[in-house]
Amino acid sequence: MKILVCISHVPDTTSKINFTEGDTKFDTNGVQFVINPNDEFGLTRAMWFKEKQGASVDVVNVGGAETEPTLRKALAIGADAAIRVNAEATDSFYVARQLANVVTNGGYDLVIAGRESIDYNGGMVPGMLAALTEANFVNTCIGLEIDGDTATAIREIDGGKETISSKLPLVIGGQKGLVEESDLRIPNMRGIMMARKKPLTVIDAIESSIETKAVKFEKPAPKGEVTLVSPDNVGELVELLHNEAKAI
């Protein structure tokens, strides 16, 4: 079984986010980048298939040379090879088209993508990728087993879970729950050294239209000052909750 794990290169959640050029461009200065958390759950599940069922695991990213340390981390975790599509990840359709080209040429049986990336939270790439490659698709996936050419997936739905059976090829949009957080892997020294010798192939982007464009970004408004109310003045507290906070 050939598995492809899509890896997004995203800011660490502890990074301070700023924008430039009239709030139209993300400012990367001083920002630490990591593997997108939803993708890391998927990569960990792929490692299980590799170790238990002998699957081969490749990772792919659409981005510039600055994303290669993130791909190398995925290799250090245990992926066999990495592919970088040399293009700026401009919008969801463009990224999906680039990934679809890799999937088609690579003949992958299973593509594991994160449900969404934590930077733009678009949540559109996995579904578009499945449509472009004519593969089956399961989103919000929190469980996955493979037996031959049949996959059994569990996905999160409103108020519960749904179990789905599907034939390969399959694209999933994975998320927290696909593996336990305690199962996530930290690269050890041996993995880091081996990652340096594993292939990281850079390919050119294919022609594709760009269907959406970010016009402006806006950060949440800063929180207001805290109003302290004496525990003896319940009337004032009720008035503030009703008239100012609109909580009651």
Side-chain angles (χ1 to χ4, degrees), residues 173-205:
Q175 63 179 49
K176 182 179 179 180
L178 191 57
V179 298
E180 297 296 327
E181 287 191 68
S182 58
D183 293 330
L184 296 177
R185 305 185 180 193
I186 299 173
N188 55 32
M189 184 56 66
R190 182 172 181 270
I192 293 171
M193 297 301 292
M194 290 180 65
R196 296 178 180 177
K197 300 178 181 179
K198 292 179 180 179
L200 195 164
T201 305
V202 180
I203 64 174
D204 292 329

mmCIF file of all heavy atoms in Angstrom, residues 173-205:
data_model
loop_
_atom_site.group_PDB
_atom_site.id
_atom_site.type_symbol
_atom_site.label_atom_id
_atom_site.label_comp_id
_atom_site.label_asym_id
_atom_site.label_seq_id
_atom_site.Cartn_x
_atom_site.Cartn_y
_atom_site.Cartn_z
ATOM 1 N N GLY A 173 -9.727 13.472 5.362
ATOM 2 C CA GLY A 173 -9.392 14.700 6.073
ATOM 3 C C GLY A 173 -9.330 14.364 7.551
ATOM 4 O O GLY A 173 -10.366 14.234 8.206
ATOM 5 N N GLY A 174 -8.138 14.152 8.066
ATOM 6 C CA GLY A 174 -7.966 13.687 9.439
ATOM 7 C C GLY A 174 -7.935 14.823 10.446
ATOM 8 O O GLY A 174 -7.754 15.991 10.107
ATOM 9 N N GLN A 175 -8.095 14.455 11.706
ATOM 10 C CA GLN A 175 -8.091 15.445 12.772
ATOM 11 C C GLN A 175 -7.728 14.767 14.086
ATOM 12 O O GLN A 175 -7.446 13.564 14.128
ATOM 13 C CB GLN A 175 -9.462 16.098 12.892
ATOM 14 C CG GLN A 175 -10.586 15.138 13.276
ATOM 15 C CD GLN A 175 -11.923 15.836 13.415
ATOM 16 O OE1 GLN A 175 -12.331 16.593 12.555
ATOM 17 N NE2 GLN A 175 -12.600 15.573 14.521
ATOM 18 N N LYS A 176 -7.757 15.544 15.166
ATOM 19 C CA LYS A 176 -7.492 15.001 16.491
ATOM 20 C C LYS A 176 -8.437 13.845 16.757
ATOM 21 O O LYS A 176 -9.636 13.941 16.522
ATOM 22 C CB LYS A 176 -7.693 16.101 17.535
ATOM 23 C CG LYS A 176 -7.404 15.669 18.957
ATOM 24 C CD LYS A 176 -7.604 16.819 19.924
ATOM 25 C CE LYS A 176 -7.347 16.386 21.357
ATOM 26 N NZ LYS A 176 -7.546 17.502 22.321
ATOM 27 N N GLY A 177 -7.900 12.730 17.228
ATOM 28 C CA GLY A 177 -8.695 11.529 17.435
ATOM 29 C C GLY A 177 -8.289 10.415 16.497
ATOM 30 O O GLY A 177 -8.541 9.237 16.774
ATOM 31 N N LEU A 178 -7.678 10.775 15.360
ATOM 32 C CA LEU A 178 -7.187 9.753 14.428
ATOM 33 C C LEU A 178 -6.141 8.888 15.121
ATOM 34 O O LEU A 178 -6.033 7.691 14.884
ATOM 35 C CB LEU A 178 -6.613 10.430 13.177
ATOM 36 C CG LEU A 178 -6.288 9.542 11.983
ATOM 37 C CD1 LEU A 178 -7.515 8.765 11.525
ATOM 38 C CD2 LEU A 178 -5.738 10.367 10.830
ATOM 39 N N VAL A 179 -5.335 9.528 15.962
ATOM 40 C CA VAL A 179 -4.477 8.846 16.932
ATOM 41 C C VAL A 179 -4.577 9.638 18.231
ATOM 42 O O VAL A 179 -5.031 10.788 18.240
ATOM 43 C CB VAL A 179 -3.000 8.768 16.479
ATOM 44 C CG1 VAL A 179 -2.862 7.963 15.196
ATOM 45 C CG2 VAL A 179 -2.399 10.158 16.305
ATOM 46 N N GLU A 180 -4.148 9.035 19.319
ATOM 47 C CA GLU A 180 -4.116 9.751 20.588
ATOM 48 C C GLU A 180 -2.948 10.728 20.596
ATOM 49 O O GLU A 180 -1.907 10.480 19.971
ATOM 50 C CB GLU A 180 -3.969 8.768 21.748
ATOM 51 C CG GLU A 180 -5.121 7.788 21.899
ATOM 52 C CD GLU A 180 -6.427 8.477 22.223
ATOM 53 O OE1 GLU A 180 -6.384 9.519 22.912
ATOM 54 O OE2 GLU A 180 -7.486 7.987 21.784
ATOM 55 N N GLU A 181 -3.107 11.825 21.298
ATOM 56 C CA GLU A 181 -2.016 12.804 21.382
ATOM 57 C C GLU A 181 -0.766 12.172 21.972
ATOM 58 O O GLU A 181 0.357 12.549 21.615
ATOM 59 C CB GLU A 181 -2.459 14.011 22.215
ATOM 60 C CG GLU A 181 -3.451 14.914 21.496
ATOM 61 C CD GLU A 181 -3.674 16.230 22.222
ATOM 62 O OE1 GLU A 181 -2.730 17.049 22.269
ATOM 63 O OE2 GLU A 181 -4.783 16.422 22.746
ATOM 64 N N SER A 182 -0.953 11.225 22.872
ATOM 65 C CA SER A 182 0.200 10.560 23.495
ATOM 66 C C SER A 182 0.977 9.701 22.495
ATOM 67 O O SER A 182 2.120 9.318 22.761
ATOM 68 C CB SER A 182 -0.264 9.690 24.668
ATOM 69 O OG SER A 182 -1.210 8.718 24.227
ATOM 70 N N ASP A 183 0.364 9.392 21.344
ATOM 71 C CA ASP A 183 1.030 8.575 20.323
ATOM 72 C C ASP A 183 1.860 9.410 19.343
ATOM 73 O O ASP A 183 2.606 8.846 18.534
ATOM 74 C CB ASP A 183 -0.001 7.769 19.531
ATOM 75 C CG ASP A 183 -0.678 6.702 20.379
ATOM 76 O OD1 ASP A 183 -0.027 6.198 21.302
ATOM 77 O OD2 ASP A 183 -1.856 6.381 20.105
ATOM 78 N N LEU A 184 1.699 10.732 19.371
ATOM 79 C CA LEU A 184 2.480 11.592 18.476
ATOM 80 C C LEU A 184 3.969 11.411 18.742
ATOM 81 O O LEU A 184 4.388 11.236 19.889
ATOM 82 C CB LEU A 184 2.083 13.059 18.666
ATOM 83 C CG LEU A 184 0.631 13.413 18.282
ATOM 84 C CD1 LEU A 184 0.357 14.872 18.602
ATOM 85 C CD2 LEU A 184 0.363 13.121 16.811
ATOM 86 N N ARG A 185 4.757 11.476 17.690
ATOM 87 C CA ARG A 185 6.173 11.125 17.793
ATOM 88 C C ARG A 185 7.074 12.347 17.708
ATOM 89 O O ARG A 185 6.865 13.226 16.877
ATOM 90 C CB ARG A 185 6.540 10.129 16.690
ATOM 91 C CG ARG A 185 5.639 8.897 16.710
ATOM 92 C CD ARG A 185 6.059 7.866 15.703
ATOM 93 N NE ARG A 185 5.172 6.708 15.756
ATOM 94 C CZ ARG A 185 5.434 5.547 15.163
ATOM 95 N NH1 ARG A 185 6.551 5.396 14.475
ATOM 96 N NH2 ARG A 185 4.583 4.540 15.259
ATOM 97 N N ILE A 186 8.075 12.349 18.554
ATOM 98 C CA ILE A 186 9.108 13.374 18.525
ATOM 99 C C ILE A 186 10.346 12.753 17.869
ATOM 100 O O ILE A 186 10.789 11.675 18.295
ATOM 101 C CB ILE A 186 9.451 13.873 19.941
ATOM 102 C CG1 ILE A 186 8.210 14.496 20.584
ATOM 103 C CG2 ILE A 186 10.593 14.876 19.905
ATOM 104 C CD1 ILE A 186 8.401 14.872 22.034
ATOM 105 N N PRO A 187 10.894 13.369 16.835
ATOM 106 C CA PRO A 187 12.060 12.776 16.171
ATOM 107 C C PRO A 187 13.217 12.577 17.145
ATOM 108 O O PRO A 187 13.548 13.488 17.917
ATOM 109 C CB PRO A 187 12.420 13.812 15.092
ATOM 110 C CG PRO A 187 11.163 14.579 14.863
ATOM 111 C CD PRO A 187 10.466 14.620 16.185
ATOM 112 N N ASN A 188 13.801 11.387 17.124
ATOM 113 C CA ASN A 188 15.000 11.157 17.934
ATOM 114 C C ASN A 188 16.245 11.398 17.087
ATOM 115 O O ASN A 188 16.158 11.672 15.892
ATOM 116 C CB ASN A 188 14.997 9.742 18.527
ATOM 117 C CG ASN A 188 14.852 8.660 17.461
ATOM 118 O OD1 ASN A 188 15.317 8.822 16.324
ATOM 119 N ND2 ASN A 188 14.197 7.547 17.811
ATOM 120 N N MET A 189 17.402 11.292 17.707
ATOM 121 C CA MET A 189 18.643 11.606 16.996
ATOM 122 C C MET A 189 18.861 10.671 15.808
ATOM 123 O O MET A 189 19.292 11.113 14.731
ATOM 124 C CB MET A 189 19.831 11.518 17.965
ATOM 125 C CG MET A 189 21.161 11.923 17.337
ATOM 126 S SD MET A 189 21.109 13.594 16.610
ATOM 127 C CE MET A 189 20.886 14.581 18.095
ATOM 128 N N ARG A 190 18.541 9.398 15.983
ATOM 129 C CA ARG A 190 18.711 8.457 14.876
ATOM 130 C C ARG A 190 17.811 8.833 13.710
ATOM 131 O O ARG A 190 18.228 8.804 12.548
ATOM 132 C CB ARG A 190 18.403 7.041 15.349
ATOM 133 C CG ARG A 190 18.601 5.974 14.274
ATOM 134 C CD ARG A 190 18.473 4.572 14.869
ATOM 135 N NE ARG A 190 18.691 3.555 13.861
ATOM 136 C CZ ARG A 190 17.737 3.031 13.103
ATOM 137 N NH1 ARG A 190 16.476 3.445 13.250
ATOM 138 N NH2 ARG A 190 18.012 2.106 12.202
ATOM 139 N N GLY A 191 16.551 9.193 14.019
ATOM 140 C CA GLY A 191 15.626 9.591 12.970
ATOM 141 C C GLY A 191 16.085 10.843 12.245
ATOM 142 O O GLY A 191 15.950 10.948 11.018
ATOM 143 N N ILE A 192 16.633 11.799 13.000
ATOM 144 C CA ILE A 192 17.121 13.046 12.402
ATOM 145 C C ILE A 192 18.289 12.766 11.466
ATOM 146 O O ILE A 192 18.370 13.321 10.363
ATOM 147 C CB ILE A 192 17.511 14.041 13.507
ATOM 148 C CG1 ILE A 192 16.260 14.483 14.278
ATOM 149 C CG2 ILE A 192 18.234 15.245 12.916
ATOM 150 C CD1 ILE A 192 16.568 15.285 15.525
ATOM 151 N N MET A 193 19.208 11.899 11.883
ATOM 152 C CA MET A 193 20.362 11.564 11.044
ATOM 153 C C MET A 193 19.923 10.816 9.786
ATOM 154 O O MET A 193 20.426 11.090 8.687
ATOM 155 C CB MET A 193 21.355 10.716 11.845
ATOM 156 C CG MET A 193 21.958 11.442 13.052
ATOM 157 S SD MET A 193 22.851 12.948 12.607
ATOM 158 C CE MET A 193 24.250 12.247 11.736
ATOM 159 N N MET A 194 18.961 9.906 9.926
ATOM 160 C CA MET A 194 18.482 9.158 8.764
ATOM 161 C C MET A 194 17.724 10.063 7.799
ATOM 162 O O MET A 194 17.775 9.868 6.578
ATOM 163 C CB MET A 194 17.584 8.012 9.228
ATOM 164 C CG MET A 194 18.324 6.896 9.942
ATOM 165 S SD MET A 194 17.211 5.559 10.461
ATOM 166 C CE MET A 194 16.655 4.946 8.866
ATOM 167 N N ALA A 195 17.043 11.066 8.339
ATOM 168 C CA ALA A 195 16.263 11.975 7.491
ATOM 169 C C ALA A 195 17.145 12.726 6.512
ATOM 170 O O ALA A 195 16.698 13.089 5.411
ATOM 171 C CB ALA A 195 15.481 12.947 8.363
ATOM 172 N N ARG A 196 18.388 12.970 6.884
ATOM 173 C CA ARG A 196 19.310 13.698 6.003
ATOM 174 C C ARG A 196 19.643 12.908 4.747
ATOM 175 O O ARG A 196 20.020 13.488 3.727
ATOM 176 C CB ARG A 196 20.597 14.016 6.765
ATOM 177 C CG ARG A 196 20.403 14.959 7.952
ATOM 178 C CD ARG A 196 21.703 15.185 8.681
ATOM 179 N NE ARG A 196 21.540 16.081 9.830
ATOM 180 C CZ ARG A 196 22.507 16.411 10.686
ATOM 181 N NH1 ARG A 196 23.727 15.892 10.501
ATOM 182 N NH2 ARG A 196 22.268 17.220 11.700
ATOM 183 N N LYS A 197 19.494 11.583 4.826
ATOM 184 C CA LYS A 197 19.838 10.728 3.693
ATOM 185 C C LYS A 197 18.619 10.338 2.860
ATOM 186 O O LYS A 197 18.760 9.741 1.789
ATOM 187 C CB LYS A 197 20.540 9.458 4.196
ATOM 188 C CG LYS A 197 21.834 9.741 4.961
ATOM 189 C CD LYS A 197 22.452 8.446 5.474
ATOM 190 C CE LYS A 197 23.735 8.721 6.262
ATOM 191 N NZ LYS A 197 24.336 7.463 6.782
ATOM 192 N N LYS A 198 17.438 10.648 3.350
ATOM 193 C CA LYS A 198 16.221 10.278 2.625
ATOM 194 C C LYS A 198 15.959 11.273 1.498
ATOM 195 O O LYS A 198 16.278 12.456 1.625
ATOM 196 C CB LYS A 198 15.033 10.220 3.586
ATOM 197 C CG LYS A 198 15.113 9.084 4.593
ATOM 198 C CD LYS A 198 13.919 9.089 5.529
ATOM 199 C CE LYS A 198 13.995 7.952 6.532
ATOM 200 N NZ LYS A 198 12.852 7.951 7.476
ATOM 201 N N PRO A 199 15.361 10.806 0.408
ATOM 202 C CA PRO A 199 15.148 11.711 -0.741
ATOM 203 C C PRO A 199 14.099 12.785 -0.467
ATOM 204 O O PRO A 199 13.023 12.507 0.073
ATOM 205 C CB PRO A 199 14.686 10.763 -1.852
ATOM 206 C CG PRO A 199 14.122 9.574 -1.132
ATOM 207 C CD PRO A 199 14.932 9.431 0.125
ATOM 208 N N LEU A 200 14.426 14.007 -0.830
ATOM 209 C CA LEU A 200 13.476 15.118 -0.834
ATOM 210 C C LEU A 200 13.484 15.672 -2.252
ATOM 211 O O LEU A 200 14.428 16.348 -2.659
ATOM 212 C CB LEU A 200 13.852 16.184 0.188
ATOM 213 C CG LEU A 200 12.770 17.217 0.537
ATOM 214 C CD1 LEU A 200 13.132 17.956 1.837
ATOM 215 C CD2 LEU A 200 12.544 18.233 -0.569
ATOM 216 N N THR A 201 12.458 15.341 -3.000
ATOM 217 C CA THR A 201 12.381 15.704 -4.416
ATOM 218 C C THR A 201 11.611 16.999 -4.589
ATOM 219 O O THR A 201 10.521 17.156 -4.033
ATOM 220 C CB THR A 201 11.680 14.581 -5.210
ATOM 221 O OG1 THR A 201 12.364 13.347 -4.984
ATOM 222 C CG2 THR A 201 11.670 14.904 -6.693
ATOM 223 N N VAL A 202 12.174 17.913 -5.353
ATOM 224 C CA VAL A 202 11.505 19.178 -5.661
ATOM 225 C C VAL A 202 10.997 19.109 -7.096
ATOM 226 O O VAL A 202 11.753 18.814 -8.020
ATOM 227 C CB VAL A 202 12.460 20.376 -5.495
ATOM 228 C CG1 VAL A 202 11.738 21.680 -5.826
ATOM 229 C CG2 VAL A 202 13.023 20.418 -4.075
ATOM 230 N N ILE A 203 9.692 19.353 -7.279
ATOM 231 C CA ILE A 203 9.106 19.323 -8.622
ATOM 232 C C ILE A 203 8.481 20.685 -8.934
ATOM 233 O O ILE A 203 8.093 21.428 -8.026
ATOM 234 C CB ILE A 203 8.062 18.202 -8.772
ATOM 235 C CG1 ILE A 203 6.867 18.445 -7.840
ATOM 236 C CG2 ILE A 203 8.689 16.845 -8.504
ATOM 237 C CD1 ILE A 203 5.739 17.452 -8.042
ATOM 238 N N ASP A 204 8.411 20.991 -10.209
ATOM 239 C CA ASP A 204 7.797 22.251 -10.628
ATOM 240 C C ASP A 204 6.281 22.161 -10.547
ATOM 241 O O ASP A 204 5.690 21.087 -10.710
ATOM 242 C CB ASP A 204 8.207 22.588 -12.064
ATOM 243 C CG ASP A 204 9.686 22.918 -12.180
ATOM 244 O OD1 ASP A 204 10.248 23.445 -11.200
ATOM 245 O OD2 ASP A 204 10.268 22.635 -13.250
ATOM 246 N N ALA A 205 5.672 23.292 -10.302
ATOM 247 C CA ALA A 205 4.215 23.355 -10.262
ATOM 248 C C ALA A 205 3.644 23.215 -11.665
ATOM 249 O O ALA A 205 4.283 23.587 -12.653
ATOM 250 C CB ALA A 205 3.759 24.664 -9.636
#
